[in-house]
Amino acid sequence: MDTTVTIAIYDFNEEHAVQTVDKAFGRVEDVDDVMSSYKNDSQTSILNQGSRLEGASPDLIYVIERSMYYSTISDGAFDITIMPVLDLWASKFSPGGTYQPPTQEEIDTTLELVDYSMITIEDGNISMEPGMKIALGGIAKGYAVDQAIGSLASEGITSCFVDAGGDGRYIGTKPDGTMWTVGLQNPDKQGDFITLMQLDDMAVATSGNYERYFSDAAKVSHISDPRTGYSVNELISATVIAETAMDADALATTVFVLGENEGMELIETLDGVECLIITSDKRILRSTGFAEYETTLE
């Protein structure tokens, strides 16, 4: 998943703690082995190479099915079949490329390969139209965090957190009864925070293009809109609190693509989900219940 994973637990037995954490990391590696686009032998890469995968992992099937739910509720703003668009842009700005944006014709042609509804899952097999590819960067990290949390819980751990590149899930409280405190970094000032959140049995994820905060020249986001084929620039970041890290991960990406109005409207329709948005002109917007998680602890 090309990111750093941190696991912290409280336990009464050091040997049990070490074994438990190792097992949780093993679960993360299992997910990475299946879903990484950086590994040529992963099931995701095999599916992308041949548009079909037989005997798919239950992990992969679940994540794809769940991703299709996010696609449905966002009218396609979240779509894992965006990979051809990402590949097109990457080819233009890599050695040998034109270092110019793709033409509208190139984008339109590529968008014909972007449609989550053309993924078919049947009898443990996954198939797509020829040329289609999936990218799980907006959901796999969250799923891996949830699986690690599940592994820890199965070993009796009731106080812990797992973080994968900023996607974190926090379980229970610390032994002294205080809740986990999570800071949302201020993109304008290193070491400063926009807000502090206190979480107990909740997850949080942030999707964003922080470079825009510093420079209006940083126009190209690493997140593209599957509906248009262009990078998204309306927001600097979207932070979502939800019960699972996968929900927080996917919904943060979704809100970032949808923008402030549609994004916030979607969040307000979902139970147990809250959001904080930083707009490109540096306004900070909160969903109705987000403040309930905020604290002013120094």
Side-chain angles (χ1 to χ4, degrees):
M1 285 172 287
D2 195 35
T3 193
T4 300
V5 179
T6 303
I7 298 176
I9 72 171
Y10 285 101
D11 198 358
F12 295 105
N13 182 302
E14 184 175 355
E15 184 179 354
H16 178 256
V18 171
Q19 293 173 349
T20 298
V21 169
D22 284 347
K23 182 181 175 184
F25 273 122
R27 190 69 188 96
V28 173
E29 289 170 4
D30 291 342
V31 174
D32 188 51
D33 286 343
V34 169
M35 300 186 198
S36 175
S37 58
Y38 299 95
K39 297 179 178 178
N40 292 331
D41 60 348
S42 73
Q43 289 199 354
T44 297
S45 293
I46 293 169
L47 173 62
N48 285 345
Q49 290 156 16
S51 304
R52 181 172 172 81
L53 176 68
E54 297 187 357
S57 159
D59 286 326
L60 184 59
I61 289 175
Y62 178 74
V63 166
I64 290 177
E65 288 179 338
R66 192 66 182 162
S67 75
M68 293 167 83
Y69 159 75
Y70 302 119
S71 299
T72 301
I73 66 171
S74 66
D75 293 326
F78 184 93
D79 192 332
I80 59 171
T81 64
I82 195 174
M83 192 67 174
V85 168
L86 303 180
D87 286 345
L88 173 65
W89 281 88
S91 71
K92 296 293 181 178
F93 291 93
S94 58
T98 61
Y99 289 91
Q100 296 292 323
T103 65
Q104 188 62 52
E105 183 180 358
E106 287 174 318
I107 287 176
D108 290 343
T109 300
T110 304
L111 282 175
E112 293 175 7
L113 297 171
V114 180
D115 185 351
Y116 66 92
S117 68
M118 293 198 292
I119 302 175
T120 302
I121 301 174
E122 195 172 282
D123 298 327
N125 304 321
I126 305 170
S127 58
M128 309 183 293
E129 295 297 311
M132 288 180 68
K133 294 182 179 181
I134 62 171
L136 300 177
I139 188 171
K141 279 194 304 179
Y143 180 72
V145 168
D146 289 335
Q147 291 305 298
I149 288 289
S151 174
L152 296 173
S154 72
E155 294 293 326
I157 301 300
T158 57
S159 176
C160 62
F161 76 82
V162 179
D163 179 278
D167 294 358
R169 186 168 168 188
Y170 300 81
I171 299 301
T173 59
K174 298 175 186 177
D176 63 3
T178 59
M179 288 196 286
W180 301 99
T181 302
V182 185
L184 174 61
Q185 184 185 322
N186 181 350
D188 222 7
K189 186 177 180 184
Q190 192 74 29
D192 190 25
F193 297 104
I194 293 289
T195 187
L196 293 173
M197 298 162 279
Q198 286 197 315
L199 303 177
D200 176 2
D201 294 341
M202 297 296 284
V204 62
T206 297
S207 183
N209 179 20
Y210 270 21
E211 289 71 23
R212 249 190 96 74
Y213 220 94
F214 301 112
S215 166
D216 286 336
K219 298 292 186 187
V220 179
S221 166
H222 64 287
I223 300 172
S224 295
D225 188 332
R227 303 165 300 179
T228 67
Y230 287 93
S231 60
V232 186
N233 297 307
E234 186 182 330
L235 303 180
I236 290 171
S237 71
T239 297
V240 171
I241 296 174
E243 290 183 4
T244 70
M246 182 167 64
D247 278 344
D249 190 9
L251 289 170
T253 303
T254 302
V255 171
F256 192 81
V257 172
L258 285 172
E260 64 173 286
N261 294 325
E262 289 184 50
M264 200 61 86
E265 285 174 13
L266 173 62
I267 293 300
E268 295 289 11
T269 68
L270 302 174
D271 291 335
V273 180
E274 301 297 342
C275 181
L276 182 148
I277 288 171
I278 306 177
T279 66
S280 58
D281 57 358
K282 303 185 182 182
R283 287 176 293 116
I284 298 175
L285 309 173
R286 292 167 170 82
S287 61
T288 306
F290 191 90
E292 295 174 17
Y293 293 100
E294 293 183 281
T295 177
T296 55
L297 291 178
E298 292 299 326

